[in-house]
Amino acid sequence: MAENIKEQKIALRRLIRQRKKMFSQEQLQQKSQKICEKLHQLLDNINYKHIMLYYPLPDEVDVRPLFDRIQANKCLILPTVLGDDIVPVSFTKDSTFKEGAFHILEPQNDSYSGPIDVILVPGMAFDNKGNRLGRGKGYYDRFLQQHLQTPSIGVCFDFQLLDVVPSEDFDKKVDCVIY
Ligand code: ADP
Ligand code: MG
């Protein structure tokens, strides 16, 4: 049974990679801009101070416009990878970035251990129940397991929303998905 789910996940990751190839970088950028508008509206209507964003890989929704648009009184946080764990690091517009694990850019700041009020979660696929498919290493499953009370917002392109994303015991859902 579990083996079957792992195979389904592998097949769905392949499907999503194929779907992504059908769009140019320009098309993905246009989609990203619309998604950022939606995220901005959503965030404008929730009460938070500390937000964990993510630094996008080339095939992920580009949420970098939010880095600048979020009001200056908020605390911005990005994930960095340390071994098997996501380590949060706060950043500002003056931070310098360096490539970390998996080619993800990471701010060169000290790790952040304060509160996190809302988490943006990238994913290869989501379904409308909030089930999430990642890249297969379980980083966000482990991280969200430590932040069960923190609202989480899945972020993906429309073609990454699937009817059903298969889940195992350790998979963590997001509270809503913006696409
Ligand atoms: P992804 O969520 O990136 O799509 P998977 O859900 O397939 O990846 O998980 C990848 C691996 O991560 C799993 O095989 C599992 O062993 C590990 N994993 C997930 N959550 C945890 C956890 N809370 N503790 C330890 N290992 C975990
Ligand atoms: Mg998972």
Side-chain angles (χ1 to χ4, degrees), residues 9 13 132-142 166-168 170-172:
K9 285 180 169 180
R13 289 189 191 100
R132 171 183 179 274
L133 182 70
R135 290 175 188 263
K137 296 202 171 3
Y139 278 97
Y140 274 97
D141 289 327
R142 289 185 292 275
S167 67
E168 299 169 88
F170 50 76
D171 280 311
K172 289 285 159 289

mmCIF file of all heavy atoms in Angstrom, residues 9 13 132-142 166-168 170-172, ligand 2:
data_model
loop_
_atom_site.group_PDB
_atom_site.id
_atom_site.type_symbol
_atom_site.label_atom_id
_atom_site.label_comp_id
_atom_site.label_asym_id
_atom_site.label_seq_id
_atom_site.Cartn_x
_atom_site.Cartn_y
_atom_site.Cartn_z
ATOM 1 N N LYS A 9 3.090 9.031 -6.176
ATOM 2 C CA LYS A 9 3.728 10.350 -6.015
ATOM 3 C C LYS A 9 4.788 10.579 -7.102
ATOM 4 O O LYS A 9 4.858 11.662 -7.679
ATOM 5 C CB LYS A 9 4.389 10.454 -4.631
ATOM 6 C CG LYS A 9 3.408 10.648 -3.476
ATOM 7 C CD LYS A 9 4.197 10.745 -2.172
ATOM 8 C CE LYS A 9 3.332 11.207 -1.007
ATOM 9 N NZ LYS A 9 4.114 11.304 0.241
ATOM 10 N N ARG A 13 4.721 13.571 -9.820
ATOM 11 C CA ARG A 13 5.819 14.547 -10.006
ATOM 12 C C ARG A 13 6.216 14.605 -11.481
ATOM 13 O O ARG A 13 6.477 15.671 -12.020
ATOM 14 C CB ARG A 13 7.026 14.173 -9.131
ATOM 15 C CG ARG A 13 6.792 14.404 -7.652
ATOM 16 C CD ARG A 13 8.068 14.239 -6.820
ATOM 17 N NE ARG A 13 7.727 14.208 -5.406
ATOM 18 C CZ ARG A 13 7.626 13.106 -4.663
ATOM 19 N NH1 ARG A 13 7.897 11.918 -5.195
ATOM 20 N NH2 ARG A 13 7.262 13.177 -3.397
ATOM 21 N N ARG A 132 -0.454 18.015 -0.037
ATOM 22 C CA ARG A 132 0.676 18.599 -0.765
ATOM 23 C C ARG A 132 1.651 17.521 -1.222
ATOM 24 O O ARG A 132 1.960 16.590 -0.476
ATOM 25 C CB ARG A 132 1.416 19.578 0.153
ATOM 26 C CG ARG A 132 2.722 20.077 -0.420
ATOM 27 C CD ARG A 132 3.448 20.994 0.545
ATOM 28 N NE ARG A 132 4.710 21.421 -0.037
ATOM 29 C CZ ARG A 132 5.847 20.735 0.048
ATOM 30 N NH1 ARG A 132 5.893 19.596 0.712
ATOM 31 N NH2 ARG A 132 6.937 21.191 -0.534
ATOM 32 N N LEU A 133 2.127 17.723 -2.454
ATOM 33 C CA LEU A 133 3.214 16.890 -2.982
ATOM 34 C C LEU A 133 4.433 17.780 -3.114
ATOM 35 O O LEU A 133 4.381 18.814 -3.791
ATOM 36 C CB LEU A 133 2.802 16.343 -4.354
ATOM 37 C CG LEU A 133 3.772 15.400 -5.057
ATOM 38 C CD1 LEU A 133 3.836 14.060 -4.334
ATOM 39 C CD2 LEU A 133 3.326 15.186 -6.506
ATOM 40 N N GLY A 134 5.519 17.400 -2.475
ATOM 41 C CA GLY A 134 6.767 18.156 -2.590
ATOM 42 C C GLY A 134 7.694 17.489 -3.584
ATOM 43 O O GLY A 134 7.266 16.706 -4.432
ATOM 44 N N ARG A 135 8.976 17.809 -3.460
ATOM 45 C CA ARG A 135 9.945 17.260 -4.409
ATOM 46 C C ARG A 135 10.450 15.886 -3.988
ATOM 47 O O ARG A 135 11.297 15.307 -4.651
ATOM 48 C CB ARG A 135 11.111 18.229 -4.569
ATOM 49 C CG ARG A 135 10.706 19.478 -5.313
ATOM 50 C CD ARG A 135 11.792 20.509 -5.382
ATOM 51 N NE ARG A 135 11.275 21.730 -5.943
ATOM 52 C CZ ARG A 135 11.392 22.085 -7.242
ATOM 53 N NH1 ARG A 135 12.041 21.326 -8.084
ATOM 54 N NH2 ARG A 135 10.863 23.204 -7.675
ATOM 55 N N GLY A 136 9.976 15.415 -2.856
ATOM 56 C CA GLY A 136 10.273 14.030 -2.491
ATOM 57 C C GLY A 136 11.242 13.859 -1.351
ATOM 58 O O GLY A 136 11.662 12.738 -1.049
ATOM 59 N N LYS A 137 11.580 14.950 -0.668
ATOM 60 C CA LYS A 137 12.500 14.821 0.452
ATOM 61 C C LYS A 137 11.834 15.113 1.795
ATOM 62 O O LYS A 137 12.474 14.990 2.852
ATOM 63 C CB LYS A 137 13.713 15.715 0.234
ATOM 64 C CG LYS A 137 14.538 15.302 -0.995
ATOM 65 C CD LYS A 137 15.941 15.803 -0.880
ATOM 66 C CE LYS A 137 16.937 15.319 -1.896
ATOM 67 N NZ LYS A 137 16.568 14.474 -2.965
ATOM 68 N N GLY A 138 10.596 15.522 1.768
ATOM 69 C CA GLY A 138 9.842 15.651 3.010
ATOM 70 C C GLY A 138 10.228 16.827 3.896
ATOM 71 O O GLY A 138 9.843 16.853 5.069
ATOM 72 N N TYR A 139 10.944 17.810 3.356
ATOM 73 C CA TYR A 139 11.379 18.932 4.196
ATOM 74 C C TYR A 139 10.204 19.658 4.845
ATOM 75 O O TYR A 139 10.200 19.926 6.053
ATOM 76 C CB TYR A 139 12.219 19.937 3.391
ATOM 77 C CG TYR A 139 13.662 19.518 3.267
ATOM 78 C CD1 TYR A 139 14.113 18.845 2.136
ATOM 79 C CD2 TYR A 139 14.553 19.773 4.300
ATOM 80 C CE1 TYR A 139 15.435 18.451 2.028
ATOM 81 C CE2 TYR A 139 15.875 19.379 4.206
ATOM 82 C CZ TYR A 139 16.316 18.716 3.070
ATOM 83 O OH TYR A 139 17.614 18.315 2.976
ATOM 84 N N TYR A 140 9.190 20.015 4.043
ATOM 85 C CA TYR A 140 8.062 20.757 4.617
ATOM 86 C C TYR A 140 7.194 19.867 5.509
ATOM 87 O O TYR A 140 6.569 20.373 6.433
ATOM 88 C CB TYR A 140 7.236 21.446 3.525
ATOM 89 C CG TYR A 140 7.793 22.812 3.160
ATOM 90 C CD1 TYR A 140 8.622 22.971 2.059
ATOM 91 C CD2 TYR A 140 7.522 23.934 3.942
ATOM 92 C CE1 TYR A 140 9.150 24.214 1.738
ATOM 93 C CE2 TYR A 140 8.045 25.171 3.639
ATOM 94 C CZ TYR A 140 8.861 25.315 2.539
ATOM 95 O OH TYR A 140 9.394 26.541 2.232
ATOM 96 N N ASP A 141 7.153 18.570 5.235
ATOM 97 C CA ASP A 141 6.422 17.691 6.158
ATOM 98 C C ASP A 141 7.024 17.776 7.554
ATOM 99 O O ASP A 141 6.308 17.884 8.555
ATOM 100 C CB ASP A 141 6.460 16.234 5.670
ATOM 101 C CG ASP A 141 5.608 16.024 4.432
ATOM 102 O OD1 ASP A 141 4.569 16.691 4.303
ATOM 103 O OD2 ASP A 141 5.991 15.181 3.594
ATOM 104 N N ARG A 142 8.344 17.733 7.614
ATOM 105 C CA ARG A 142 8.998 17.806 8.936
ATOM 106 C C ARG A 142 8.845 19.191 9.544
ATOM 107 O O ARG A 142 8.601 19.326 10.738
ATOM 108 C CB ARG A 142 10.484 17.426 8.812
ATOM 109 C CG ARG A 142 10.712 15.941 8.548
ATOM 110 C CD ARG A 142 12.183 15.582 8.554
ATOM 111 N NE ARG A 142 12.896 16.145 7.431
ATOM 112 C CZ ARG A 142 12.980 15.593 6.215
ATOM 113 N NH1 ARG A 142 12.403 14.420 5.991
ATOM 114 N NH2 ARG A 142 13.644 16.182 5.248
ATOM 115 N N PRO A 166 -2.125 11.999 -3.329
ATOM 116 C CA PRO A 166 -2.078 10.895 -2.362
ATOM 117 C C PRO A 166 -1.218 11.283 -1.160
ATOM 118 O O PRO A 166 -0.221 11.990 -1.314
ATOM 119 C CB PRO A 166 -1.430 9.754 -3.145
ATOM 120 C CG PRO A 166 -0.691 10.407 -4.263
ATOM 121 C CD PRO A 166 -1.410 11.678 -4.577
ATOM 122 N N SER A 167 -1.627 10.837 0.015
ATOM 123 C CA SER A 167 -0.854 11.226 1.201
ATOM 124 C C SER A 167 -0.559 10.019 2.080
ATOM 125 O O SER A 167 -1.328 9.055 2.136
ATOM 126 C CB SER A 167 -1.596 12.296 1.992
ATOM 127 O OG SER A 167 -2.765 11.768 2.545
ATOM 128 N N GLU A 168 0.583 10.105 2.737
ATOM 129 C CA GLU A 168 1.006 9.098 3.713
ATOM 130 C C GLU A 168 0.869 9.692 5.105
ATOM 131 O O GLU A 168 0.587 10.884 5.258
ATOM 132 C CB GLU A 168 2.453 8.674 3.414
ATOM 133 C CG GLU A 168 2.577 8.043 2.018
ATOM 134 C CD GLU A 168 4.012 7.842 1.560
ATOM 135 O OE1 GLU A 168 4.580 6.785 1.875
ATOM 136 O OE2 GLU A 168 4.543 8.735 0.881
ATOM 137 N N PHE A 170 2.837 10.694 7.318
ATOM 138 C CA PHE A 170 3.697 11.813 7.715
ATOM 139 C C PHE A 170 3.440 13.073 6.882
ATOM 140 O O PHE A 170 4.011 14.116 7.173
ATOM 141 C CB PHE A 170 5.173 11.409 7.607
ATOM 142 C CG PHE A 170 5.534 10.782 6.294
ATOM 143 C CD1 PHE A 170 5.690 11.563 5.161
ATOM 144 C CD2 PHE A 170 5.693 9.405 6.186
ATOM 145 C CE1 PHE A 170 6.015 10.991 3.941
ATOM 146 C CE2 PHE A 170 6.015 8.815 4.964
ATOM 147 C CZ PHE A 170 6.168 9.609 3.839
ATOM 148 N N ASP A 171 2.616 12.982 5.846
ATOM 149 C CA ASP A 171 2.385 14.163 5.009
ATOM 150 C C ASP A 171 1.567 15.203 5.755
ATOM 151 O O ASP A 171 0.584 14.872 6.423
ATOM 152 C CB ASP A 171 1.665 13.757 3.717
ATOM 153 C CG ASP A 171 2.612 13.163 2.694
ATOM 154 O OD1 ASP A 171 3.654 13.787 2.446
ATOM 155 O OD2 ASP A 171 2.303 12.064 2.177
ATOM 156 N N LYS A 172 1.971 16.448 5.614
ATOM 157 C CA LYS A 172 1.286 17.555 6.286
ATOM 158 C C LYS A 172 0.521 18.378 5.263
ATOM 159 O O LYS A 172 1.038 18.707 4.200
ATOM 160 C CB LYS A 172 2.298 18.442 7.021
ATOM 161 C CG LYS A 172 2.889 17.765 8.247
ATOM 162 C CD LYS A 172 1.891 17.751 9.377
ATOM 163 C CE LYS A 172 2.179 16.697 10.419
ATOM 164 N NZ LYS A 172 1.933 15.302 9.998
HETATM 165 MG MG MG B 2 5.147 14.748 1.769
#
